[in-house]
């Protein structure tokens, strides 16, 4: 460290010594250099937190260092980009873990280190909150997201993620909040490299469907004119299909459902069932358990089997 420091820098060094260097004398400490504005950091963070929790009883600790609040510490480690992840043992850097972006990659690197280093095993982290305790928090986040406040919903999902980083509802909720903010690519990236169990969860499947829904739905410049044309020319199924896409893009779920259900009623097999497939994507994006989806499914069943 530098020999001449400001009081703030000295405080930062003291905190680092207390929270990182001293524990590293017996534990393997994962150093996660991150920032609030860094999208990849937020995607990697749940992976690091889950693995650290899984390996806590093997003597692994996670130390998160916000580079904006700890610029002096970040400079000492020559951090030039984030996320940067190191492993420290006995106050020495023993590995660069920055390339490990998946749970399996990180665990493999930690397993290799633990075979070589005399790390003292420790007790696992205390159990996190129960599903019953989390339910009101997720409900609040969903209500805020439904109201259109994507920024606040994202913040709440991030806060929940600090408590239960591997929870599938956190991953799915964050992705849908990013979609609400028109950050489609970030939403897609947020669902990359999830653990298999999380990736296959209904919450993540719903988020993926929402991303596909946004990418497929194309805004229509003159949607009222297109609607008038489709009404006057019901045989023009392409126009009706385009109208449904425009209604989806405008978040007019009722209008899109009405258009697609009418198309299915007129010709179930048109374009290899394209209208039904688009309607099912709409259902997935809204959420299978949503009461609105249940009502529309009853309408679809009446058409298909009535």
């Amino acid at each position: 460290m530098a020999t001449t420091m400001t009081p703030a820098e000295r405080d930062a060094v003291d905190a680092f010594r207390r929270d990182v260097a001293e524990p590293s004398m017996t534990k393997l400490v994962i150093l996660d250099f991150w920032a609030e504005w860094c999208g990849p950091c937020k995607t990697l963070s749940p992976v690091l937190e889950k693995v650290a929790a899984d390996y806590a009883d093997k003597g692994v600790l996670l130390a998160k260092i916000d580079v904006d609040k700890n610029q002096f510490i970040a400079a000492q480690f020559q951090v030039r980009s984030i996320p940067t992840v190191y492993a420290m043992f006995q106050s020495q850097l023993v590995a660069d873990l920055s390339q490990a972006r998946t749970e399996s990659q990180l665990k493999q690197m930690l397993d290799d280190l633990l075979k070589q280093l005399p790390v003292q095993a420790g007790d696992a982290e205390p159990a996190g909150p129960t599903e019953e305790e989390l339910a009101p928090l997720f409900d609040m986040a969903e209500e805020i997201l439904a109201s259109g406040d994507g920024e606040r919903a994202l913040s709440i999902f991030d806060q929940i993620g600090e408590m239960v980083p591997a929870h599938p509802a956190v991953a799915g909720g964050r992705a849908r909040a990013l979609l609400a903010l028109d950050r489609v690519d970030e939403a897609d990236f947020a669902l990359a490299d999830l653990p298999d169990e999380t990736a296959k969860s209904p919450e993540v499947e719903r988020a993926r469907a929402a991303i596909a829904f946004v990418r497929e739905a194309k805004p229509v410049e003159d949607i009222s004119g297109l609607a008038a044309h489709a009404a006057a020319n019901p045989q023009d199924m392409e126009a009706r299909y385009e109208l449904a896409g425009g209604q989806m893009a405008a978040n007019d779920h009722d209008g899109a459902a009405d258009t697609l259900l009418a198309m299915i009623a007129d010709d179930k097999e048109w374009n290899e069932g394209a209208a039904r497939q688009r309607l099912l994507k709409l259902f997935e994006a809204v959420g299978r358990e949503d009461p609105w989806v249940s009502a529309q499914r009853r309408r679809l069943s009446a058409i298909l089997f009535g």
Side-chain angles (χ1 to χ4, degrees), residues 191-205:
L191 300 181
D193 295 326
L194 293 173
D196 288 344
E197 185 176 348
T198 303
K200 296 175 182 178
S201 67
E203 295 92 341
V204 170
E205 288 182 357

Side-chain angles (χ1 to χ4, degrees), residues 36 42-43 45-46 49 141 151-165 170 173-174 177-178 183:
E36 184 64 34
K42 292 183 177 181
T43 300
S45 181
E49 291 170 358
E151 195 70 54
R152 189 175 169 213
L154 180 60
S155 175
I156 294 174
F157 279 119
D158 283 339
Q159 291 176 45
I160 301 173
E162 292 177 2
M163 295 185 285
V164 283
V170 171
R174 286 194 76 256
L178 287 166
R183 293 155 62 179

Side-chain angles (χ1 to χ4, degrees), residues 1 33 67 70-80:
M1 298 291 180
F33 291 92
V67 297
N70 296 276
Q71 295 181 12
F72 182 75
I73 298 297
Q76 305 314 302
F77 286 90
Q78 300 182 353
V79 175
R80 295 184 174 86

Side-chain angles (χ1 to χ4, degrees), residues 105 118 146 152 174 181 188 196 228 234 251-252 281 290 295 304:
Q105 290 172 345
R152 189 175 169 213
R174 286 194 76 256
L181 296 170
D188 223 343
D196 288 344
N251 285 322
D252 180 6
K281 288 181 180 178
D290 191 283
L304 295 176

